[in-house]
Amino acid sequence: MRPARHGLWLLLLWALAACSPPPLYQQQSYVFGTLVEVSVYGVPEAQARQAISAVLARFDDLHRTLHAWQPSELSRLNAALAQGKRTTVSPELAAMLRDAQALSNQTGDLFNPAIGGLIALWGFQADTPQARVPDAGAIRDWVSKHPRMADLHIENDTVWSDNPAVQLDLGGYAKGRALDDAVRILKAQGIQNALVNIGGNVIALGAHGDRPWRVGIQHPRQPGTLATLDLHDGEAIGTSGDYQRFFEVAGRRYSHLIDPRNGWPASAIQSVTVLVAGDRAGTRSDALSKPLFIDGVAQLANHAARLGVADYLAVDAAGKIHVSPAMKARLR
């Protein structure tokens, strides 16, 4: 058995001026179990530093609030749900749970943060995957309990569930929410042009000088980029791939992206990237890439249309690339 963990990385391609460097300030950190980079353009370094510090502080706060297997507000809620108890949560967490419920409903429960128990069973609620396939009977038992976000009741700031199998894991939501929060903070700090990259989930604010921000989409099996595209103000991309968190047993790859319908990691796609714009672009780009990955290539175009995702690029299990017409027009 060979466990592995590969962070999804999205390469930033800078077109630097020949005579002098642009007023670009970048800072990196490690949050949400992945590398984070915030790039700010066109302001004095002191202002950029202050704005980025505020963004990274917010990321740390979200990480502490939403951690699924270390002490956090979310893990305390999960303990109460497992005991059938009602508990009071912060207004912010209550609002995020309502938002996650709406997204889960929109995707027919393929985006399902209520399957934290299944994720733990597969060993992905750990810093390093366990590299062990769970007992098939245990998987069937979890699936038979049908934990769904619809089982969660939120009344003001009080949360409870009729189904004690509901265990929340917001790993497929937190990075996207963090992108939207980053844009809000940067604007409040007077930043008009920035790019925020959380392990391959990226959102653009303004532009990089006289051109859009240009990014590269990581190839799921090879070093380097699969494609590049320009991101305009308010656009975000989210990528779900089987190379972010996975382990291998007997030559078969098992990723953290689990199909809630059967309890097994989805395997029909290596990666899928979606591009969205508008309200809550970061959150939607993060959440909506998951059901497209899970549902596979056969349903890709129809499922993307139902979700309102016009721009997508996917690599299937055989390595074949599938690109929507709208996304094809964007690629470089």
Side-chain angles (χ1 to χ4, degrees):
M1 296 184 292
R2 182 173 66 86
R5 179 179 178 180
H6 291 237
L8 174 64
W9 184 239
L10 196 118
L11 300 176
L12 305 181
L13 306 176
W14 308 114
L16 298 178
C19 56
S20 62
L24 178 71
Y25 181 77
Q26 298 171 284
Q27 187 172 333
Q28 295 181 342
S29 186
Y30 195 80
V31 193
F32 305 116
T34 191
L35 186 66
V36 170
E37 184 170 69
V38 184
S39 305
V40 171
Y41 180 90
V43 299
E45 182 175 325
Q47 183 182 359
R49 283 181 178 274
Q50 180 177 333
I52 293 175
S53 293
V55 167
L56 295 179
R58 173 57 178 163
F59 288 176
D60 285 335
D61 181 59
L62 280 173
H63 180 72
R64 289 193 300 270
T65 298
L66 301 179
H67 207 295
W69 65 87
Q70 292 180 2
S72 68
E73 185 178 9
L74 187 68
S75 65
R76 290 190 294 272
L77 172 59
N78 278 335
L81 294 175
Q83 297 173 31
K85 295 180 179 179
R86 297 185 177 218
T87 189
T88 300
V89 300
S90 66
E92 180 177 59
L93 180 56
M96 284 190 280
L97 293 176
R98 292 188 188 97
D99 189 26
Q101 275 187 324
L103 288 164
S104 184
N105 181 64
Q106 180 185 0
T107 64
D109 293 325
L110 288 184
F111 168 71
N112 186 359
I115 64 167
L118 266 172
I119 296 171
L121 181 67
W122 276 94
F124 289 111
Q125 285 190 352
D127 292 334
T128 303
Q130 65 182 7
R132 179 180 61 83
V133 177
D135 176 74
I139 296 172
R140 287 194 299 270
D141 182 58
W142 267 106
V143 172
S144 70
K145 296 173 182 177
H146 300 294
R148 303 176 304 146
M149 290 301 290
D151 297 328
L152 204 64
H153 302 283
I154 309 167
E155 187 175 291
N156 296 321
D157 299 331
T158 300
V159 181
W160 73 98
S161 175
D162 299 326
N163 185 351
V166 170
Q167 290 289 281
L168 301 167
D169 188 318
L170 292 173
Y173 175 92
K175 291 190 293 183
R177 170 60 186 262
L179 291 179
D180 291 331
D181 286 356
V183 168
R184 173 181 54 81
I185 292 168
L186 289 168
K187 288 181 176 179
Q189 295 278 342
I191 304 300
Q192 298 180 353
N193 303 288
L195 192 73
V196 185
N197 177 8
I198 306 178
N201 291 75
V202 184
I203 197 163
L205 176 61
H208 182 209
D210 58 359
R211 64 170 182 82
W213 293 98
R214 181 166 293 180
V215 299
I217 300 171
Q218 174 67 47
H219 196 291
R221 291 293 185 272
Q222 302 172 15
T225 58
L226 178 65
T228 63
L229 73 158
D230 291 341
L231 282 187
H232 300 279
D233 183 39
E235 291 184 333
I237 60 172
T239 299
S240 291
D242 67 359
Y243 55 98
Q244 299 172 76
R245 287 176 61 78
F246 73 95
F247 62 86
E248 291 182 355
V249 174
R252 180 175 176 180
R253 180 181 300 231
Y254 299 90
S255 84
H256 71 295
L257 294 160
I258 296 174
D259 188 336
R261 298 168 296 189
N262 59 28
W264 288 78
S267 58
I269 290 183
Q270 296 179 11
S271 70
V272 60
T273 296
V274 301
L275 183 152
V276 301
D279 183 51
R280 298 163 48 254
T283 300
R284 291 187 293 116
S285 68
D286 192 11
L288 297 183
S289 66
K290 274 66 179 179
L292 296 185
F293 182 96
I294 290 169
D295 221 15
V297 173
Q299 301 297 322
L300 185 59
N302 290 336
H303 201 164
R306 289 197 300 271
L307 296 177
V309 176
D311 298 83
Y312 63 81
L313 181 153
V315 182
D316 66 21
K320 183 179 178 180
I321 300 173
H322 304 257
V323 187
S324 68
M327 179 68 102
K328 187 175 182 179
R330 298 288 300 266
L331 298 180
R332 299 287 178 178

